[in-house]
Structures are given as structure tokens and as C-alpha cells.
Amino acid sequence: MSTAVIGAIVGLVVAAIDFALLRLLASRVELPETKRVLNVTGLSQFVLLPIVGYLVAPLMSGE
């Protein structure tokens, strides 16, 4: 498995943890707009963090 794929997997795991924490925070907020923003932010990180991990991991490892 290449370093880029490992970085993408790590990014996906971090996104899942962050999504769970943002959903927990959204359940405690009263304003519906804030809930929507927190949920959209959590979902967008499922796309962004694996891409960043895929691109940054080879740079950090020196490949």
C-alpha cells in the first residue's frame, strides 16, 4: 500500500471522528441554521480530508 493511500485512509478516519463530534455539537445547538452549517461542514470533510491526506502524506514521508 502506497503512502498516498495510507494518507487518504487516515484522512477518512479523521473525517469520521470529526463528523461524529460535529453531529454531537449540532444536537446541542438551538438555531437551525447553525445545525445545518455544522452538518454540511462534517459532510464536506469526508471529501476534503482524504484528498488532503492523499496529497500531503507522500510529501511528509519524502516520496
Side-chain angles (χ1 to χ4, degrees):
M1 197 177 322
S2 71
T3 308
V5 175
I6 293 171
I9 292 171
V10 169
L12 188 62
V13 169
V14 170
I17 293 168
D18 193 39
F19 178 72
L21 292 175
L22 286 173
R23 291 288 299 218
L24 180 66
L25 181 61
S27 69
R28 305 183 101 200
V29 175
E30 294 181 12
L31 294 173
E33 296 87 10
T34 307
K35 287 182 182 187
R36 188 172 353 145
V37 168
L38 289 171
N39 288 330
V40 168
T41 302
L43 289 173
S44 67
Q45 288 186 7
F46 273 112
V47 175
L48 295 176
L49 287 179
I51 292 172
V52 169
Y54 185 84
L55 296 174
V56 171
L59 296 174
M60 297 299 288
S61 69
E63 285 187 16

